[in-house]
Amino acid sequence: RLVSEGAHVVLADLNLEGAQKVADDINAKHGEGRALAVKMDVTSEEQVIAAFAESALYYGGVDILVNNAGLATSSPFEETSLKEWNLNMNVLGTGYFLVAREAFKIMKTQSIGGSMVFIGSKNSIFAGKSVTAYSSAKALEA
């Protein structure tokens, strides 16, 4: 939708090949240079910084952030492993923080404002059954 309304977009994903395919489709439909794919593991501070640097160099800045890294795990509370808990917290908590922080730095430097959209879940308020780690991480986002 953003592209159809004139935006240029950066598709940041752990799966660079998948992001590149989507970027190629967008560019074929809307014109070359409308979409850029970059590799980003939101749990890696270095990759987040590098992805924003590449995006800013390519497009000249960042005006809108749609923060939507995601995953969903499902385990009853008593079966939730520390590994599962940490994965959810790292992606949905730390990842959202790192991405928002880097976007904010660029927007602040640009001095023209910007918008940030955070994709949440009803689980941040009403936890679902057997999704302890996911719901807790979504509450952290909120």
Side-chain angles (χ1 to χ4, degrees), residues 62 104-114:
V62 175
F104 180 80
K105 287 178 185 179
I106 292 171
M107 290 175 184
K108 186 175 179 183
T109 299
Q110 294 172 166
S111 297
I112 58 172

Side-chain angles (χ1 to χ4, degrees), residues 113-137:
S115 296
M116 292 191 189
V117 177
F118 290 78
I119 304 301
S121 167
K122 67 117 180 130
N123 283 51
S124 64
I125 300 168
F126 301 106
K129 183 177 180 183
S130 297
V131 288
T132 302
Y134 174 77
S135 295
S136 297

